[in-house]
Amino acid sequence: MFKWKAEKKQPMESTAHSLSVDELKKQLEEELASRSDISFRTLKVEGKRVLFSFLPSLIDQNKLDEFVLQPIQRNSKKDMTVEVAAQVLPISQLSASNQLNEIVESIAEGNVYIYIDGEPCGLLANVSSTAERSLEKGETEALVYGPKISFTESLQVNVNILMSNLKDANLCIQDVEVGTRVKARIKLVYIKDIADPTNIESFQQRISELQVDYIPDTTVLGQLIENNSWTVFPQLMTTELPDRISNAIVNGKVAVLMDRSPAALYGPTPFFTFFESTEDIYMRWNMAFFLRLLRLTAIFLSVLLTPAYVAVLTYHYEVIPSALLVSLGQSRANVPFPPVFEAFLLEFVIELLREAGARLPTKVGQTMGIVGGIVIGQAAVDAGFTSNILIIIIALSALGSFTTPSYLMGTAIRIIRFPIIVLAGLWGGIGIMIAFCFFLIHLLKLDTLGTPYLSPAYPFRWKDLGYSMFRFPIKYLSYRPATNHPVDGDRYPTIKAKVKKDVDE
């Protein structure tokens, strides 16, 4: 039986007979009154009227003509029914429906509804046309080695890329739908005999319990399902690189793909994960080892260099070598501001240059960032607003924050410098230690999907250091990181990996 009439938040009422084409057309016009482009096409086939309802702006007109209208018009059978129409339509995505709400939602997604006069239900055929961009090189995560391809806004294309990378029979792709007003299709991707069931259930539960009208992107989804929304540190990683997602899944993590989003989300992602680059996998282990140490050192200096300058010049002159103290005094002789104000001024200018360079077109932004930094820095020194030494320190701090592969973590590092500078100006070295202890305690309290945020440093797992803080030779990484709690913890036999054989053996 039909169940056409449906008021908002009320169950649908059933009718005692099937609707006519005219009655259905009238109800669809009422439900889609806000869509002025709703179109109807009526054909008479074997004595029965067939109604086609669709939105022209969302469908592929060629698909409608070739795969829907022409097959039904060429039908040679005497009686046109729903079963006959389903047999003659050469469309894989075809479903029957007699629920008005479902029909309206499907039409709004690019489906055409086919209803034959007097039949108990109609058919929904997917002939949608979506605007998609071609596969391109990643923009936000630049690589020297490894695949350069990035995700697109098409969920189907992104799934195809991952399936071509991970041709594993145990690869699982689960469908989830979220959004009370605008529905968003989400897919959970993992390998069922590797991924921890607890992590899978955590993702499923947190996403299914969301009561949000609209989620535009995976970055917003990550903010909604993370544990602590007030912290500046991201707790789930977003990336536009399919090979990064593939490696994470093989190591026991769970990935999330979302329609209309060019980035994927995966977890659990502890703190040190954000300093890993995908090309570390493709480089020789000693080069990758050096680069990871370089990034971690650069971040440490980025956070502490400017506060140390403020603390030393305000309270701790005795730690400065006498030779440097003379040149430092000459550099600051014409600066009328205290060190804390001087540091804040330059940090603010650097952030302005960085934000302006990111918002302008690529070529203009690069030119403006380089020229603007040189001109403003030199002008600030000549005008007596700052010293030469602070210009060097600020530049090194900015460069250190830019070495972070993750844009979100790099931004978080730049933000936490400001409160540390304030405490350094108030209490010197003691203020820096107070800020350092505060952030350390804060990081110890955080977790990502139940995994400690500072893992494998806390709790300490020395084997996992080769996957996070350092990079060991591949033949010694025969296990998966214990931090991810993988079901299958072995990648390959350790003994066989270490045995070297010549060709003649």
Side-chain angles (χ1 to χ4, degrees):
M1 288 296 185
F2 270 112
K3 298 180 181 178
W4 295 112
K5 287 291 185 181
E7 298 296 332
K8 189 175 182 181
K9 296 183 180 180
Q10 292 183 3
M12 298 182 184
E13 300 177 359
S14 62
T15 58
H17 57 84
S18 300
L19 294 178
S20 67
V21 166
D22 295 330
E23 290 173 333
L24 172 60
K25 182 177 179 181
K26 183 178 179 181
Q27 289 198 17
L28 288 177
E29 286 177 339
E30 292 176 356
E31 292 293 328
L32 294 168
S34 59
R35 301 298 299 264
S36 60
D37 58 341
I38 180 68
S39 296
F40 300 97
R41 175 78 183 275
T42 305
L43 299 178
K44 196 167 186 180
V45 182
E46 301 298 335
K48 285 188 176 181
R49 288 193 300 166
V50 182
L51 177 67
F52 302 87
S53 309
F54 55 90
L55 294 171
S57 58
L58 298 180
I59 69 166
D60 188 328
Q61 191 65 47
N62 294 329
K63 289 182 180 179
L64 178 64
D65 296 338
E66 183 178 355
F67 302 126
V68 177
L69 297 179
Q70 293 181 14
I72 289 182
Q73 287 177 318
R74 290 196 300 262
N75 177 45
S76 59
K77 297 186 178 181
K78 293 183 179 180
D79 191 18
M80 173 58 70
T81 62
V82 175
E83 291 78 8
V84 172
Q87 292 176 3
V88 301
L89 291 178
I91 297 178
S92 59
Q93 298 183 8
L94 195 67
S95 61
S97 178
N98 63 357
Q99 302 291 325
L100 186 60
N101 288 350
E102 181 183 356
I103 294 168
V104 170
E105 290 179 2
S106 298
I107 291 176
E109 292 176 356
N111 291 270
V112 57
Y113 186 63
I114 308 164
Y115 178 65
I116 303 170
D117 201 1
E119 290 294 305
C121 65
L123 295 174
L124 287 168
N126 187 357
V127 291
S128 61
S129 174
T130 55
E132 299 177 1
R133 62 184 173 96
S134 59
L135 297 178
E136 298 174 352
K137 185 178 179 180
E139 294 291 337
T140 59
E141 297 177 75
L143 296 177
V144 178
Y145 290 103
K148 307 297 190 298
I149 191 175
S150 65
F151 285 125
T152 70
E153 286 77 11
S154 171
L155 180 60
Q156 189 60 46
V157 172
N158 295 342
V159 171
N160 291 341
I161 295 173
L162 275 186
M163 292 184 68
S164 64
N165 288 351
L166 301 173
K167 297 178 181 179
D168 191 319
N170 293 316
L171 181 67
C172 292
I173 301 177
Q174 291 187 1
D175 291 324
V176 183
E177 195 174 70
V178 67
T180 57
R181 182 175 294 273
V182 179
K183 302 293 183 182
R185 291 184 299 150
I186 294 174
K187 290 186 181 293
L188 294 181
V189 187
Y190 58 91
I191 299 178
K192 64 181 179 181
D193 61 341
I194 296 180
D196 183 13
T198 303
N199 293 335
I200 300 172
E201 292 174 4
S202 296
F203 267 115
Q204 292 173 339
Q205 179 182 358
R206 296 184 187 193
I207 294 176
S208 60
E209 290 180 352
L210 290 178
Q211 297 295 324
V212 186
D213 57 348
Y214 173 57
I215 300 178
D217 191 80
T218 50
T219 54
V220 179
L221 178 66
Q223 297 175 47
L224 292 171
I225 64 176
E226 63 186 8
N227 290 338
N228 191 337
S229 299
W230 294 101
T231 181
V232 71
F233 297 100
Q235 295 143 63
L236 293 172
M237 173 73 84
T238 56
T239 179
E240 64 175 356
L241 300 178
D243 59 317
R244 181 162 195 151
I245 292 293
S246 301
N247 283 292
I249 292 174
V250 170
N251 285 329
K253 298 185 180 183
V254 183
V256 179
L257 300 178
M258 182 176 173
D259 198 16
R260 304 185 306 271
S261 175
L265 180 77
Y266 71 91
T269 50
F271 178 75
F272 296 103
T273 304
F274 294 91
F275 302 98
E276 302 170 12
S277 175
T278 310
E279 64 183 351
D280 292 348
I281 301 170
Y282 305 106
M283 300 179 68
R284 294 186 59 81
W285 73 271
N286 37 24
M287 298 178 184
F289 185 96
F290 169 75
L291 291 178
R292 286 194 183 180
L293 284 181
L294 180 65
R295 292 188 205 114
L296 293 174
T297 305
I299 294 304
F300 185 78
L301 294 178
S302 174
V303 172
L304 294 181
L305 269 181
T306 308
Y309 172 86
V310 173
V312 166
L313 288 186
T314 307
Y315 297 100
H316 311 294
Y317 279 104
E318 65 277 3
V319 302
I320 305 175
S322 54
L324 180 60
L325 186 60
V326 174
S327 61
L328 185 59
Q330 292 175 350
S331 176
R332 282 192 46 82
N334 298 324
V335 179
F337 307 113
V340 62
F341 180 82
E342 179 188 6
F344 252 102
L345 177 64
L346 275 189
E347 288 282 1
F348 182 70
V349 170
I350 288 293
E351 291 301 319
L352 279 181
L353 287 172
R354 181 202 150 274
E355 187 66 17
R359 302 303 161 215
L360 289 172
T362 306
K363 294 182 179 179
V364 179
Q366 292 176 351
T367 304
M368 195 281 300
I370 297 172
V371 176
I374 295 173
V375 172
I376 294 178
Q378 186 62 41
V381 173
D382 293 341
F385 282 96
T386 184
S387 62
N388 290 321
I389 295 179
L390 184 59
I391 292 287
I392 298 173
I393 291 176
I394 293 293
L396 290 175
S397 298
L399 288 175
S401 65
F402 294 151
T403 60
T404 310
S406 170
Y407 177 80
L408 292 177
M409 182 57 74
T411 305
I413 294 299
R414 290 196 300 271
I415 291 175
I416 66 174
R417 278 207 304 262
F418 288 96
I420 300 179
I421 291 173
V422 172
L423 292 177
L426 293 175
W427 299 307
I430 296 176
I432 294 177
M433 289 305 301
I434 291 174
F436 180 79
C437 293
F438 173 81
F439 283 114
L440 181 60
I441 294 171
H442 177 66
L443 292 175
L444 288 171
K445 292 176 63 178
L446 289 178
D447 68 273
T448 165
L449 292 180
T451 301
Y453 197 57
L454 287 183
S455 179
Y458 173 82
F460 184 73
R461 295 186 176 96
W462 68 271
K463 281 190 174 183
D464 287 4
L465 295 180
Y467 281 100
S468 57
M469 300 174 66
F470 309 113
R471 166 76 158 80
F472 296 156
I474 294 178
K475 67 179 182 179
Y476 294 106
L477 299 178
S478 60
Y479 55 90
R480 293 185 174 89
T483 301
N484 302 331
H485 304 288
V487 177
D488 181 8
D490 296 325
R491 297 178 59 195
Y492 48 79
T494 308
I495 297 177
K496 292 183 179 180
K498 294 181 180 179
V499 176
K500 300 179 181 179
K501 292 184 178 181
D502 295 331
V503 176
D504 57 356
E505 294 183 38

